[in-house]
Amino acid sequence: MSTAVDAPSDTYRWVALANTTAAVFMSALDGSIVLIALPAIFGGIHLDPLDPRNIGYLLWMIMGYRLVQAVLVVSVGRLGDLVGRVKIYNAGFAVFTFASVLLSFDPFDGGSAAWWLIAWRIVQALGGSMLTANSAAILTDAFPPDRRGFALGVNQVAALAGQFIGLTLGGLLAVWDWRAVFWVNVPVGIYGTLWAYLKLRETAVRPAYRPRMDWWGNITFAVGLSLVLIGVTEALHPYGDHSMGWTNPVVLAELGAGLALLVAFVLIELRVAQPMFELALFRIRAFTAGNLAALAASVARGGLQFILIIWLQGIWLPLHGYDYDQTPLWAGIFLLPLSVGFLVAGPISGALSDRFGSRGIATSGMLLFSATFVGLLLLPIDFPYWIFALLILLNGVANGMFASPNSSSIMGSVPAQHRGVASGMRSTFQNSGTALSIGVFFSLMIAGLAADLPRSLASGLTAHGVPSDVAGQVGSLPPVSSLFATMLGYNPIQHVLEPTGVLDTLSPGDRATLTGHTLFPHLVAGPFHDGLVVVFSVGAVLGVLSALASFSRGQHTASGRNS
């Protein structure tokens, strides 16, 4: 038995769409806005990004937010099914805004300041999870099947566009003050919270019985997935004589324990009366295929963003005369075609999927997505920008073609009473893929750099008068340090040599070369290109796998049935 509710009016539908779209945009924006602002943040709290002891702070400022969103979206989605989606959504807006305020008033310095930011980023991610897990369910409840694809498409494109617009906005705001990257959320958050509390209401059919929370399922899932993602993150740290930590016993223990708990989670869910993770939903072909396709796509898409930033900031922009302290901002600007592709293709593909079904549009999008990886793989390190811009524009279009129809297919295929948990499960696949992609793509890139980068750096420095012992020390820096230095807009050679006093002993010509724009890009170009070939090849394969999964969903109709 269930209790009926009045059908939502057109006015309410547009209010729900506008509010949830602003919420998911803000949540996604905050996942990426910090990336470009990290140089200003590290400078503001007085941390050296090249100090190996600070690599952990850097990784957790990036990964902590994504890890929490990956882990908690199912739990808060299920909580929305239990106590009301709008209630959890509204509370998420308030939590997100409160954390944004405290992030901007960091009272500490150095490592303590970094831990303050990491802790409140985790709280902020909790609020973001409450928003994203329930926004799609709120829209699915509010919109009829023939208009649901458009609504979910707008919502999904706002989330994806937020990831990339955050890169440019972070660069602009960091020029003013690093705290501004958190201030920007506050007025939107306050207005959105009040708007949501005043205007949104529960429109889902309410079950007559009172559901129960699956505590053991929640605990094993949260702890298990957390340990896996923490292990992947910690594996990026150097360990002993290794450039990465995949052989670190602590990392292996985290991964093993995490996987064991996830197996226990599945066994619990098969036996509990009211599971948090509705495994029965995987019997629905459109739901299973759509989530597998989203997982493969998010792994490929998530890593691409970071690799492109490093490529632009560390190599291409310096080769074209841009100062290192300006490369973060310009990297964000030069990546704008990616956002444009999202913004144009997403709503259009969502509306088209309402008329023609999801399978053809989403599958074509992933095939185009894979083709753009092949195109990027074939580019030279110093590429003509117009070709690069065209490829990332098409990549954005491909993601827009896929994201909206795929979300509509997933959400339209499940029963109404499970839409909250289904939305959380969908977000978990996407967020887990994004978090994993950073570890996977960075590991592939670091492995490619580790073989040749130390020798290339040492020989290049000695050729310009740097003593061999100092050059050897620079060459022995962990490749992850060089990668993050380029992403943060630092000249690694100048940054490392200045404290040694070696630069003062060199000729003006050698000193100018070492501190200039082009030496580091030239030294790293060969090893970096080897890493790019591996990374983009993996991305292309993942795109094809996503297309195959998407095609296997069946001919999904607007009403949510498979034919």
Side-chain angles (χ1 to χ4, degrees), residues 278-328:
E278 290 287 348
L279 297 181
L281 294 178
F282 288 111
R283 297 173 186 165
I284 303 171
R285 184 167 59 164
F287 180 83
T288 302
N291 277 302
L292 290 176
L295 176 64
S298 63
V299 172
R301 181 178 62 241
L304 177 67
Q305 176 178 336
F306 297 95
I307 298 303
L308 292 181
I309 290 172
I310 294 169
W311 192 357
L312 288 172
Q313 293 185 184
I315 298 177
W316 193 85
L317 286 167
L319 286 176
H320 288 259
Y322 290 84
D323 292 332
Y324 272 94
D325 59 356
Q326 294 295 315
T327 55

Side-chain angles (χ1 to χ4, degrees), residues 170-406:
L172 290 169
L173 293 174
V175 173
W176 174 31
D177 192 308
W178 67 266
R179 295 173 180 84
V181 302
F182 304 115
W183 290 336
V184 70
N185 296 318
V186 176
V188 177
I190 292 173
Y191 180 77
T193 301
L194 295 174
W195 188 19
Y197 271 100
L198 292 173
K199 295 296 184 181
L200 296 185
R201 57 184 172 83
E202 301 290 350
T203 59
V205 175
R206 294 188 294 271
Y209 64 90
R210 180 170 179 80
R212 299 169 60 186
M213 192 71 170
D214 172 21
W215 291 109
W216 283 113
N218 276 272
I219 291 169
T220 52
F221 178 80
V223 177
L225 186 56
S226 293
L227 284 174
V228 170
L229 295 178
I230 288 170
V232 170
T233 303
E234 293 296 318
L236 296 178
H237 288 76
Y239 174 68
D241 295 331
H242 301 280
S243 59
M244 290 179 288
W246 289 103
T247 58
N248 186 336
V250 175
V251 169
L252 294 175
E254 289 168 343
L255 294 174
L259 291 173
L261 284 171
L262 289 177
V263 171
F265 163 73
V266 173
L267 296 176
I268 290 170
E269 297 305 279
L270 290 173
R271 289 167 173 76
V272 72
Q274 296 182 32
M276 98 173 223
F277 212 108
E278 290 287 348
L279 297 181
L281 294 178
F282 288 111
R283 297 173 186 165
I284 303 171
R285 184 167 59 164
F287 180 83
T288 302
N291 277 302
L292 290 176
L295 176 64
S298 63
V299 172
R301 181 178 62 241
L304 177 67
Q305 176 178 336
F306 297 95
I307 298 303
L308 292 181
I309 290 172
I310 294 169
W311 192 357
L312 288 172
Q313 293 185 184
I315 298 177
W316 193 85
L317 286 167
L319 286 176
H320 288 259
Y322 290 84
D323 292 332
Y324 272 94
D325 59 356
Q326 294 295 315
T327 55
L329 171 61
W330 286 103
I333 292 173
F334 281 125
L335 286 173
L336 277 176
L338 198 55
S339 300
V340 172
F342 281 130
L343 293 170
V344 171
I348 295 174
S349 64
L352 290 175
S353 71
D354 288 337
R355 295 187 59 190
F356 303 111
S358 300
R359 182 171 69 168
I361 299 172
T363 303
S364 298
M366 281 297 97
L367 291 175
L368 176 60
F369 180 71
S370 183
T372 61
F373 275 94
V374 175
L376 289 168
L377 185 153
L378 296 175
L379 283 181
I381 286 291
D382 188 10
F383 50 79
Y385 177 71
W386 72 268
I387 299 178
F388 177 84
L390 177 62
L391 286 171
I392 63 172
L393 174 68
L394 292 175
N395 188 282
V397 169
N399 275 291
M401 290 173 63
F402 170 77
S404 309
N406 192 60

